[in-house]
């Protein structure tokens, strides 16, 4: 096998659970081949550098082997090698996220009237301090 579609390879390498999710990620611009955005039908070979964004993380991997069949995780990990810089950057960003976890609040609902007033008051006070 000399070439394989990138959506099949991403699925086989277990970056995505289904090929359709891999296709959506490619179409959404979350996958780049050698720094260029691509289409799901793009065929890749060995030695290609991929940049993959998953959640908070960006991974830079080199394609070592090709497969169009999904197998176990140990076999899937033999298809690629993540660069040392990518691993270090991911670990650094994970530590930054853990350290700054309390600095922002993620809410699943809209703010209440009282919370909106507090937000407006905070923003107004910040603007006054800058002037």
């Amino acid at each position: 096998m000399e070439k394989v579609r990138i959506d099949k390879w991403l699925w086989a390498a277990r970056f995505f659970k289904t090929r359709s999710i891999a296709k959506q990620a490619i179409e959404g611009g979350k996958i780049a081949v050698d720094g260029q955005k691509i289409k799901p039908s793009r065929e890749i070979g060995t030695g290609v550098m991929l940049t993959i964004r998953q959640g908070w993380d960006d991974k830079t991997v080199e394609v070592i082997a090709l497969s169009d069949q999904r197998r176990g995780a140990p076999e899937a990990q033999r298809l690629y090698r993540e660069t040392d810089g990518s691993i270090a950057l991911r670990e650094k960003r994970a530590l930054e996220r853990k350290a700054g976890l309390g600095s922002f609040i993620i809410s699943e609902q809209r703010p209440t009237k009282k919370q909106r007033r507090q937000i407006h008051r905070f923003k107004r006070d910040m603007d006054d301090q800058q002037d």
Side-chain angles (χ1 to χ4, degrees):
M1 181 178 307
E2 292 182 21
K3 298 219 179 234
V4 67
R5 283 176 57 119
I6 188 149
D7 59 342
K8 278 188 179 182
W9 187 87
L10 289 168
W11 168 74
R14 293 184 165 262
F15 284 104
F16 298 99
K17 197 168 187 172
T18 64
R19 276 186 59 198
S20 63
I21 295 172
K23 180 183 174 192
Q24 289 172 355
I26 294 167
E27 289 171 345
K30 301 201 184 311
I31 311 294
V33 174
D34 295 326
Q36 297 179 352
K37 295 190 179 190
I38 53 164
K39 292 183 178 180
S41 61
R42 166 90 182 257
E43 292 187 340
I44 59 168
T46 57
V48 174
M49 295 299 287
L50 298 175
T51 305
I52 304 166
R53 171 168 284 187
Q54 287 183 304
W56 299 96
D57 296 326
D58 286 336
K59 296 177 185 176
T60 303
V61 299
E62 178 185 3
V63 177
I64 295 174
L66 299 175
S67 176
D68 61 354
Q69 294 180 342
R70 190 173 173 98
R71 302 200 187 271
E75 291 181 43
Q77 289 176 345
R78 293 187 200 121
L79 298 178
Y80 63 92
R81 183 184 66 82
E82 188 172 2
T83 62
D84 296 332
S86 173
I87 293 170
L89 186 61
R90 274 194 312 114
E91 290 173 353
K92 178 184 171 209
R93 287 186 177 165
L95 288 173
E96 288 173 355
R97 283 194 305 270
K98 282 183 183 178
L101 188 61
S103 65
F104 64 93
I105 299 170
I106 298 174
S107 176
E108 300 209 4
Q109 60 190 17
R110 294 176 56 186
T112 63
K113 189 171 185 176
K114 180 179 179 181
Q115 291 169 336
R116 276 198 311 273
R117 287 179 181 157
Q118 290 172 338
I119 292 168
H120 291 301
R121 192 175 306 123
F122 176 76
K123 286 182 177 181
R124 188 183 60 235
D125 290 345
M126 292 304 291
D127 288 340
D128 290 343
Q129 287 179 1
Q130 290 178 353
D131 292 339

